[in-house]
Amino acid sequence: MFMSKAFSLLKPIPLMSGQSNLAYKFIHQLVASHGHRCHRSLIYKQRYRTYPCSAGRRTISAETKVMAKEELPGVLILDIGGTQGVLENLATLLRKHFHLITMKEFLENKEEMSKKIQSVFVFECRPTIDRELLESLPNLKVIGNSGVGVDHLDLKMISSFGVKVTNTPHAVADPTADIGMALMLASARRLVEGCQIAVSPDTKHFAVDWLGVEVTRATLGIIGMGSIGYKVAQRARAFNMRILYHNRNRRKEEEEAVGAHYCEKMEDLLQQSDFVMLVVNLTPETRKLIGKKELGLMKPTATLINISRGAVIDQDALVEALQNKVIRAAALDVTYPEPLPRDHPLLKLNNVIITPHIGTATVQAIHMMAEEAIANILAVLNGQPIPSEVFPK
Amino acid sequence: MEGQELPYVLINCIGGVHGVYEDHVGFLQKHFHLVTMKEYLENKTFLSKKIRAIYMWYHKPVVNKELLQSLPNLRIVASSGVGIDHLDLNLLSSFGVKVSNTPFIVSTDTADLGMALMLASSRRLVEGHEMAVSPDTEYFPADWLGAEVSGATLGIVGMGTIGYKVAERAKGFEMKILYHNRSQRKKEEESAVGAVYCKKIDDLLQQSDFVLLTVNLTPQTHKLIGKRELELMKPTATLINISRGLVVDQDALVEALQNKVIKAAALDVTYPEPLPRDHPLLKLKNVIITPHIGSATKKTRRIMMEEMTESIQAGLAGLPIPHEVLP
């Protein structure tokens, strides 16, 4: 049985500058009139209600009323099930609103299917959206991405076809912030190493001089204070950490709420932090944001944590820095590529923890991302205000 | 004090897996004449009358009746850490020997570790790392999922200093916090962290997604969590122990984990430590164990050492002893 978590509507959630307030309103009533191929119009009433339940959990429920049985809009997905496809229970959720067409079905019957497809649901970066695909889908209106990162999508090219792109910034924020904290704590306290000692057949006693470093009252430098970065700050504050942040823009209100100090120059943050956490999106500006120079500015006792994208770090420079103890350790949920080649030096360093890109890998988050993507896709198809549209620069 | 000898203090040894830290020795030697167990045994006649204090670092040296009888001028035993379940307080008291511990300095590190274990267990961090570095890994499967910590319900059993610090941290994750304690905390303390008191531990066990043990070990808390308590927990719940191994009925825990009565466990403490290498807990996939590292940070251990020094000095001067433990 899975339990889902609601977006808290009533809390003042700090907005990234420029983002529409609509994005935070999850009580929608969408009235849709449907597709040019249908004889009758379909009315969908969608409500995302949040309410406390007895155990204190907040839940979301989507109530859908289909007024008439007509053809649902076609949505292309890579596959259902298996290790790379859309999860079975997500497919069930999607089917409430859409006619799901797998890549296989599409390729086997291009002529008929291509006209039906109004949207692509991109899950774990698949299917790949290339020019050829876009050219073969004349009625495509929107790419609904599951997840917040869109660095795998060529936004300019997609836009040139008149197709919109949406992502799911709300569903990802909590679980990704949690993984950032999990990695920071695990690295600081040498948790993975410790587990290995605790279960190793060679262990005869626990050495009392086996030590980690403190998290409480240490200095955390957050690079990229968007929604996720802000949630990291909220959590870190509960550990009495001193919080510095570097961002394209200063966020004065949010600073006060979490006691964070703005570092206009990233160098200042790097020099003062015990933990540096990367929470930026991947753009041409942030590619290799952390290289040899930046690593050299960090304290030799500092830890680098990456929950953004592998390419934000110059990986070769990181390997060198770790080998030469320029920094103390690294904890990475993301690398480039994923997975790393099995002979990559990062896999052998004992001051590195790597997790397999699990920032949003929770039962709850996967479901919420699908719901958020569905809401976005439906908004586009129904000509409603779009909660999370992503625009090319 | 010019011309006066530094007080003789017995320690187990210096360095190695059980000894006083090499980099603490300098500080200690400013205040004490350190006598290792080895030196004592080699020169009992002379040293036994000189020794006035024992600096007990991680439960060593072991203090028993025999040792107490041979140290007529022993005034105080300073013990590292907060737990004193390894000490026979009545015995020590009967010899007129005072005891001190280091209760507060360990709190934040231990609370941090409790959070680390909860997050690591819930998000399958250790498994994930192993997958990420395994030579057999070809891709990361999309259907590999953990469970969320944010917004979940945390039940804290034992809301002392450490338990309260855990609550403060859990609040940052918007967790719903329940707690069970011998006595209810003040309203202001409860509302500061949003914690709800459960007079009956059963209520806490039935509602929690994570049950975290932060009690001290006493006859009352021995096997506090047994078969009955484990069965009251949700099948999707995780048990986290940062207190003492004996607070949990370990055999019942093994059974509960094997039969999926609960989802997982994350233990910084076991009984004994380390566990025998063939113990079933070491083989279960849904268990993470850390080697009792609740207070294992450089800073904290340094401060512990300084506090113990202070306590010994006060004890020997006949002054009120900081962090004295009464029987």
Side-chain angles (χ1 to χ4, degrees):
Chain A
M1 197 175 301
F2 104 96
M3 286 168 281
S4 55
K5 195 160 52 90
F7 304 119
S8 47
L9 294 166
L10 304 174
K11 275 198 201 140
I13 300 173
L15 302 176
M16 287 176 68
S17 54
Q19 206 169 31
S20 137
N21 206 18
L22 271 169
Y24 293 85
K25 294 206 175 108
F26 262 81
I27 294 182
H28 274 136
Q29 266 190 308
L30 298 176
V31 177
S33 82
H34 207 50
H36 40 267
R37 271 183 156 250
C38 309
H39 303 294
R40 276 181 278 168
S41 60
L42 270 155
I43 315 261
Y44 288 89
K45 274 193 188 159
Q46 299 249 321
R47 277 201 214 108
Y48 292 84
R49 182 181 293 122
T50 67
Y51 46 86
C53 65
S54 56
R57 279 284 194 105
R58 296 159 296 173
T59 57
I60 265 190
S61 79
E63 296 160 10
T64 320
K65 275 189 203 160
V66 178
M67 303 292 276
K69 257 196 224 156
E70 283 291 1
E71 207 177 85
L72 298 174
V75 170
L76 178 67
I77 58 173
L78 178 71
D79 195 2
I80 298 172
T83 52
Q84 304 302 316
V86 170
L87 306 188
E88 295 272 7
N89 59 354
L90 295 189
T92 310
L93 190 63
L94 289 161
R95 279 198 195 97
K96 283 198 194 132
H97 310 275
F98 307 122
H99 170 191
L100 285 189
I101 300 165
T102 65
M103 205 52 158
K104 187 164 178 282
E105 289 165 347
F106 168 62
L107 293 171
E108 283 171 354
N109 192 357
K110 256 189 171 175
E111 208 178 298
E112 192 194 334
M113 294 295 170
S114 62
K115 300 190 193 81
K116 293 188 184 198
I117 292 167
Q118 297 190 48
S119 170
V120 183
F121 175 69
V122 174
F123 179 73
E124 307 257 334
C125 304
R126 295 184 184 84
T128 308
I129 310 293
D130 54 20
R131 187 169 283 274
E132 193 192 328
L133 182 67
L134 292 167
E135 278 167 356
S136 59
L137 300 173
N139 294 322
L140 183 66
K141 310 248 175 343
V142 55
I143 312 275
N145 190 60
S146 171
V148 66
V150 290
D151 45 282
H152 55 288
L153 298 170
D154 185 338
L155 298 176
K156 272 214 179 92
M157 178 187 65
I158 295 168
S159 178
S160 72
F161 282 84
V163 175
K164 294 185 193 292
V165 175
T166 65
N167 64 353
T168 63
H170 308 107
V172 307
D174 280 344
T176 312
D178 285 0
I179 268 286
M181 295 300 293
L183 285 168
M184 176 165 67
L185 285 159
S187 179
R189 303 303 293 272
R190 301 171 68 188
L191 195 134
V192 176
E193 265 186 272
C195 287
Q196 289 163 349
I197 289 171
V199 305
S200 160
D202 305 324
T203 296
K204 295 192 174 64
H205 32 239
F206 292 159
V208 304
D209 60 347
W210 193 94
L211 305 173
V213 299
E214 283 188 353
V215 166
T216 291
R217 278 185 298 269
T219 300
L220 169 65
I222 301 173
I223 298 182
M225 184 99 119
S227 312
I228 302 172
Y230 184 72
K231 289 212 178 246
V232 172
Q234 284 178 316
R235 284 147 180 71
R237 185 165 196 243
F239 287 75
N240 258 58
M241 296 187 86
R242 177 172 170 242
I243 303 167
L244 308 173
Y245 78 101
H246 175 72
N247 206 38
R248 275 171 302 193
N249 312 299
R250 189 163 175 180
R251 298 178 65 185
K252 278 218 166 125
E253 265 176 54
E254 291 81 15
E255 268 178 37
E256 284 183 33
V258 292
H261 303 274
Y262 183 57
C263 290
E264 194 174 342
K265 297 202 295 181
M266 196 170 73
E267 291 74 31
D268 293 333
L269 180 152
L270 294 169
Q271 285 171 322
Q272 297 179 65
S273 298
D274 300 303
F275 299 92
V276 174
M277 195 178 300
L278 306 176
V279 203
V280 289
N281 52 346
L282 178 61
T283 64
E285 292 76 41
T286 62
R287 191 170 285 276
K288 292 200 180 169
L289 181 69
I290 304 296
K292 188 176 162 120
K293 169 170 166 270
E294 290 72 26
L295 293 160
L297 285 168
M298 283 171 68
K299 293 182 179 183
T301 50
T303 304
L304 179 66
I305 299 136
N306 193 2
I307 54 169
S308 62
R309 283 291 180 268
V312 170
I313 298 179
D314 176 344
Q315 236 164 231
D316 295 333
L318 178 64
V319 170
E320 214 182 299
L322 288 164
Q323 285 170 337
N324 299 333
K325 311 262 193 266
V326 171
I327 63 172
R328 186 195 76 110
L332 317 169
D333 188 41
V334 288
T335 58
Y336 184 77
E338 287 167 13
L340 288 167
R342 297 294 89 189
D343 59 356
H344 198 282
L346 276 175
L347 303 188
K348 297 173 188 55
L349 292 166
N350 69 355
N351 50 352
V352 179
I353 302 178
I354 306 177
T355 43
H357 199 154
I358 51 172
T360 56
T362 70
V363 173
Q364 297 93 329
I366 290 284
H367 195 94
M368 297 205 101
M369 289 197 290
E371 289 203 353
E372 199 173 346
I374 290 168
N376 274 282
I377 292 170
L378 287 172
V380 173
L381 298 184
N382 300 329
Q384 300 289 309
I386 305 162
S388 318
E389 185 173 357
V390 188
F391 301 97
K393 286 240 161 62
Chain B
M1 293 194 203
E2 295 248 29
Q4 261 194 345
E5 213 178 37
L6 293 176
Y8 280 57
V9 175
L10 182 65
I11 63 172
N12 187 42
C13 62
I14 293 171
V17 287
H18 293 303
V20 171
Y21 298 166
E22 304 259 10
D23 56 355
H24 287 183
V25 171
F27 182 94
L28 289 165
Q29 283 178 333
K30 285 205 191 97
H31 305 279
F32 308 128
H33 180 141
L34 297 178
V35 177
T36 65
M37 225 21 201
K38 186 168 181 283
E39 288 167 344
Y40 166 67
L41 293 169
E42 285 171 353
N43 197 356
K44 253 188 173 178
T45 332
F46 172 68
L47 289 169
S48 61
K49 295 192 196 74
K50 298 288 251 179
I51 288 166
R52 299 177 64 210
I54 295 178
Y55 180 86
M56 187 183 280
W57 189 247
Y58 284 86
H59 307 191
K60 290 188 165 67
V62 173
V63 175
N64 53 20
K65 200 170 189 178
E66 192 196 329
L67 185 66
L68 290 169
Q69 281 168 337
S70 52
L71 300 175
N73 294 318
L74 182 67
R75 292 274 75 80
I76 177 168
V77 171
S79 179
S80 63
V82 60
I84 38 100
D85 46 284
H86 58 287
L87 297 169
D88 186 338
L89 295 176
N90 289 327
L91 176 70
L92 287 154
S93 177
S94 72
F95 280 82
V97 175
K98 294 192 190 281
V99 178
S100 71
N101 64 350
T102 60
F104 303 118
I105 192 61
V106 301
S107 317
T108 56
D109 279 354
T110 311
D112 286 359
L113 189 76
M115 296 298 294
L117 285 170
M118 177 163 65
L119 284 159
S121 178
S122 195
R123 299 302 292 270
R124 301 170 66 187
L125 192 137
V126 178
E127 261 187 275
H129 171 81
E130 284 167 3
M131 187 199 303
V133 305
S134 160
D136 305 325
T137 294
E138 284 168 17
Y139 53 75
F140 295 156
D143 56 351
W144 193 99
L145 303 174
E148 210 136 311
V149 166
S150 280
T153 301
L154 169 64
I156 300 174
V157 180
M159 189 89 121
T161 311
I162 299 172
Y164 194 76
K165 296 225 178 260
V166 172
E168 286 175 341
R169 282 144 182 73
K171 180 166 193 265
F173 290 76
E174 293 177 287
M175 298 188 86
K176 177 171 177 181
I177 302 167
L178 307 173
Y179 77 100
H180 174 73
N181 205 38
R182 277 172 298 191
S183 54
Q184 191 166 0
R185 280 226 175 202
K186 295 190 204 139
K187 278 260 176 302
E188 311 86 71
E189 291 172 339
E190 284 183 338
S191 48
V193 293
V196 173
Y197 184 54
C198 290
K199 193 158 182 191
K200 296 201 314 186
I201 197 176
D202 297 25
D203 294 332
L204 179 151
L205 295 170
Q206 286 169 323
Q207 296 179 69
S208 299
D209 300 303
F210 301 93
V211 174
L212 200 150
L213 307 176
T214 39
V215 289
N216 52 348
L217 178 61
T218 66
Q220 292 75 36
T221 61
H222 187 267
K223 290 196 179 173
L224 179 66
I225 304 295
K227 186 174 157 102
R228 188 191 85 95
E229 289 72 26
L230 292 161
E231 281 170 1
L232 284 169
M233 285 171 66
K234 293 181 180 182
T236 51
T238 302
L239 180 70
I240 301 142
N241 193 1
I242 53 170
S243 63
R244 283 290 181 269
L246 286 171
V247 171
V248 177
D249 177 342
Q250 236 165 229
D251 295 332
L253 177 63
V254 170
E255 214 183 299
L257 288 164
Q258 284 170 339
N259 300 333
K260 311 260 194 266
V261 170
I262 64 171
K263 186 178 85 152
L267 317 168
D268 186 41
V269 287
T270 59
Y271 185 77
E273 288 166 12
L275 287 167
R277 296 296 87 188
D278 59 356
H279 198 282
L281 276 175
L282 303 187
K283 296 173 189 59
L284 291 167
K285 265 190 62 182
N286 49 352
V287 179
I288 45 177
I289 306 176
T290 44
H292 199 155
I293 49 173
S295 66
T297 67
K298 229 174 169 182
K299 257 194 210 165
T300 295
R301 295 280 166 91
R302 178 102 199 160
I303 297 171
M304 274 164 64
M305 179 275 289
E306 289 170 1
E307 286 188 353
M308 289 165 72
T309 302
E310 229 186 291
S311 295
I312 290 174
Q313 287 175 315
L316 297 182
L319 295 167
I321 298 168
H323 313 309
E324 184 174 357
V325 182
L326 299 167

